[in-house]
Amino acid sequence: MNNKGQIVVEYILLVFVILVVLISITNMILSQTEENTIITAAHTGIQNGVDKNGYAMYYNDTYNKYQESYQALLMPTTIDIVKIDSYIDGKNMEIQVTLHTSRSLTSQEKYILGSRINYYLRKSITDTFNKTNESNTYYDPAYSNNYIITTRNVRWI
């Protein structure tokens, strides 16, 4: 008989195909899990930054600077998170935050608020992945296990 080894070869081929599919799916799931963790940590950081801005809580030197030049920032400001977008290019990820406030602020004041919120976003990601030793004082860029994360300027609507 010519086909004595055919069933064994077919089983080996089937097992090989199943293993390749499982490895591919596992890799995809792990990558997606990390991306979801990054966005969740980013949202937590954004909310932390929004809350601190909402209460107008500042360090003394920042408070003194704002008292001289940006008094509007010393008043509590309600800020709503509208959207968080992520853009992935290989191992680089950029995060774009869209926020809304009904308060009338200058573009410089919005930039200051946005920078502070981005700081807390990056800090939260760095803390989540326990990568504080790899980043600088401003957590720019932030690091996860597989991505280098930067932030774009906050978009205000």
Side-chain angles (χ1 to χ4, degrees):
M1 301 196 118
N2 292 340
N3 60 1
K4 284 188 176 183
Q6 185 174 350
I7 292 179
V8 174
V9 171
E10 287 175 352
Y11 281 130
I12 290 173
L13 185 60
L14 181 64
V15 168
F16 177 74
V17 169
I18 289 172
L19 283 175
V20 168
V21 169
L22 283 175
I23 290 170
S24 298
I25 289 173
T26 302
N27 189 28
M28 197 168 40
I29 289 171
L30 290 175
S31 176
Q32 191 62 48
T33 300
E34 183 172 356
E35 292 169 21
N36 289 341
T37 302
I38 291 168
I39 295 301
T40 301
H43 190 274
T44 301
I46 293 165
Q47 190 61 56
N48 190 13
V50 164
D51 290 345
K52 288 188 184 293
N53 285 323
Y55 300 130
M57 295 172 49
Y58 300 104
Y59 294 108
N60 284 337
D61 57 339
T62 305
Y63 178 85
N64 293 335
K65 177 183 173 186
Y66 290 173
Q67 195 168 25
E68 292 174 16
S69 304
Y70 305 106
Q71 289 196 1
L73 297 179
L74 298 177
M75 299 296 172
T77 304
T78 301
I79 299 172
D80 298 316
I81 301 170
V82 177
K83 186 166 59 166
I84 304 169
D85 293 313
S86 64
Y87 306 94
I88 299 173
D89 181 21
K91 294 294 181 185
N92 297 315
M93 177 186 281
E94 276 191 322
I95 297 178
Q96 170 79 61
V97 180
T98 305
L99 301 174
H100 171 74
T101 183
S102 57
R103 201 152 166 228
S104 178
L105 298 169
T106 67
S107 61
Q108 183 63 26
E109 291 166 340
K110 287 180 180 178
Y111 176 79
I112 291 169
L113 290 176
S115 295
R116 188 170 192 216
I117 289 168
N118 276 339
Y119 165 83
Y120 283 106
L121 177 160
R122 293 186 306 266
K123 182 180 185 317
S124 178
I125 292 170
T126 302
D127 291 346
T128 298
F129 288 94
N130 198 24
K131 301 284 186 176
T132 52
N133 295 341
E134 297 176 29
S135 195
N136 61 25
T137 305
Y138 300 105
Y139 305 100
D140 193 13
Y143 296 95
S144 71
N145 294 331
N146 295 304
Y147 292 101
I148 300 170
I149 301 126
T150 56
T151 52
R152 294 181 179 179
N153 287 341
V154 169
R155 184 179 342 165
W156 294 89
I157 58 170

